Amino acid sequence: MSGLRFPVGRLPDEALLSGLAAGDPELAVVFVRRFQHRVFGVAMAVTGDQQLAEDVAQQTFERAWRHAQIYDSRRGSVTTWLTTIAHNLAIDAVRARRTEPVAPEDLDALLGVVTETPEQWALADEASATLRAAVSRLPREQARALMMAGVYGMTAQQVADAEKIPLGTAKTRIRAAMAKLRITLAAPRRGDHVE
């Protein structure tokens, strides 16, 4: 059979993934070369940091190697599967870099503090002031869920765990808060001219 070998660069993505899983060094190299720019691009788009994006890309290929046997082509292409891994790892890396997370029990104090000082107005533009005002008008439990998910990057499950509520309730609070904010922020404000 030697001499009739199919060029590895033209193998389908699934075959390269199988080779990666089997530990074939030649197929592993081709697999990485085929997807390295796309994976790095996804990581860079999420992290905005070249070194962190390189680390995420490395972790993505390691995870693909470890979990190649669970890939299911019925659920999407190899490209989709791999870029989803990269995206999720990049989000995790960004979350892990946050230096001072705020405990959920401290959110009430943060939501309740609305002081209007010259310094604050000098630093905040009109859009952020409008958003803060809209969030302050939300029911407390919806505002907390929105802050946990939107600002602190918590998943709905993490919000449910922190608030000791069912997952469905956490999702409903987040969705309801977002819907109310959309309506509030889309409504014309005094001074806007509507024709």
Side-chain angles (χ1 to χ4, degrees), residues 29-46:
V29 167
V30 174
F31 181 84
V32 171
R33 285 187 179 150
R34 183 174 291 178
F35 293 104
Q36 66 187 0
H37 294 294
R38 184 170 290 146
V39 167
F40 177 77
V42 168
M44 189 66 188
V46 173

Side-chain angles (χ1 to χ4, degrees), residues 168 170-180 182:
K171 289 179 178 180
T172 299
R173 287 179 182 178
I174 295 166
R175 275 194 306 268
M178 290 299 296
K180 288 177 184 176
R182 273 190 215 102

Side-chain angles (χ1 to χ4, degrees), residues 144-165:
R144 286 176 57 84
L146 178 70
M147 293 291 287
M148 286 183 211
V151 176
Y152 298 104
M154 295 171 77
T155 64
Q157 184 63 60
Q158 290 170 325
V159 171
D161 294 344
E163 295 289 284
K164 296 175 180 49
I165 56 175

Side-chain angles (χ1 to χ4, degrees), residues 16-25 27 65 68:
L16 292 178
L17 182 61
S18 295
L20 177 73
D24 183 311
L27 294 179
W65 170 67

